[in-house]
Amino acid sequence: MPTQSPTEENYLKAIYAISNRQDGEEVSTNALAEMTATRAASVTDMLKRLADKGLIHYRRYQGVRLTDEGERRALRIIRRHRLWEVFLVEKLGFGWDEVHDMAEDLEHVRSDELVARLDTFLGNPQFDPHGDPIPTPTGQMPRTGYRPLADLNPGDEATMMGVLDHSTAFLQHLAQCGLVLGCPVKVSEINAFDRSMRVTIDAHPALFISYDVAKNLLMK
Ligand SMILES: [Zn+2]
């Protein structure tokens, strides 16, 4: 089985993430250029290479889709990423706001044996520190049924299960608001102008959450 470079792995992951976000629709070159912060021309080169390896379906001007093998590879990378995040938080004591960038490097260490032992060592965790499900060793992504806080209506109550943005800045902002995984959130009011929300959580009786933040919180 031919292997792929870290850059190629990042493209597979990016295609998987964008396609998931848009319900399996073909991913545009522009969306990929934006997510990987590269010029459209370099994206096109990379897509040709991935298509030659049988990892994506790609036709110019029509966007891309992962092949079954491409999706399996993407899920394997995501699995490694999320297991490393668990390791960094649970075993090395890092905060959940510190681990994403480290896991971006560690996910490219490709030994299956290492990943299998890491998984056993961690007790086969089901979720990473950000609440994301960890794909199974056979490459299945567990369904969570979470929905963004931004989709809730006034009067709705839900529990915070995950976050879509793993950046340090975002996670520190949540900590300042007292928003942590597992906290119950009740929507009291939604501003018709900018869709910001007034919510109540245990520690803060009235907290205002911007639409940008609400889009990135996953609830159940
Ligand atoms: Zn991460």
Side-chain angles (χ1 to χ4, degrees):
M1 186 170 28
T3 55
Q4 60 280 322
S5 69
T7 315
E8 290 172 359
E9 292 192 331
N10 287 336
Y11 271 81
L12 294 179
K13 235 176 31 163
I15 296 167
Y16 180 87
I18 298 169
S19 147
N20 238 15
R21 217 163 51 194
Q22 49 191 36
D23 296 321
E25 288 283 300
E26 309 232 313
V27 173
S28 75
T29 318
N30 283 341
L32 268 174
E34 197 181 307
M35 187 174 233
T36 56
T38 30
R39 290 173 307 117
S42 346
V43 173
T44 307
D45 286 346
M46 179 57 79
L47 293 180
K48 281 185 199 137
R49 211 176 317 160
L50 291 172
D52 287 345
K53 291 187 175 184
L55 299 175
I56 59 169
H57 299 289
Y58 171 52
R59 265 180 303 159
R60 259 205 119 139
Y61 310 116
Q62 295 199 10
V64 296
R65 199 155 42 81
L66 293 174
T67 60
D68 289 348
E69 178 60 21
E71 180 166 318
R72 273 223 306 285
R73 303 251 185 130
L75 286 164
R76 212 178 298 155
I77 303 157
I78 294 168
R79 175 174 163 78
R80 296 195 295 247
H81 181 104
R82 294 181 179 173
L83 284 170
W84 282 119
E85 286 191 339
V86 175
F87 175 76
L88 292 168
V89 168
E90 285 187 5
K91 302 297 178 187
L92 299 190
F94 285 102
W96 75 328
D97 56 335
E98 297 177 298
V99 295
H100 179 74
D101 288 347
M102 282 182 259
E104 288 285 282
D105 290 330
L106 290 165
E107 70 186 15
H108 300 298
V109 180
R110 223 172 281 127
S111 161
D112 288 341
E113 179 62 21
L114 173 66
V115 176
R117 289 198 193 193
L118 178 64
D119 184 38
T120 307
F121 178 63
L122 295 170
N124 316 110
Q126 307 294 303
F127 295 92
D128 79 6
H130 306 113
D132 288 318
I134 296 174
T136 64
T138 52
Q140 307 296 314
M141 178 67 91
R143 295 271 152 246
T144 58
Y146 300 160
R147 54 195 182 135
L149 176 62
D151 288 359
L152 268 53
N153 297 307
D156 286 350
E157 281 179 75
T159 305
M160 183 173 145
M161 303 301 289
V163 289
L164 288 176
D165 184 340
H166 296 176
S167 69
T168 304
F170 180 71
L171 296 172
Q172 286 180 351
H173 174 68
L174 294 189
Q176 279 161 10
C177 299
L179 285 161
V180 293
L181 291 191
C183 80
V185 179
K186 182 171 183 198
V187 180
S188 347
E189 211 180 302
I190 299 175
N191 184 305
F193 173 66
D194 63 6
R195 297 162 81 183
S196 64
M197 289 180 158
R198 187 161 65 85
V199 303
T200 51
I201 61 172
D202 280 345
H204 301 259
L207 180 69
F208 288 90
I209 294 183
S210 71
Y211 179 65
D212 264 345
V213 170
K215 267 190 321 195
N216 281 291
L217 299 182
L218 293 174
M219 315 298 293
K220 186 170 188 167

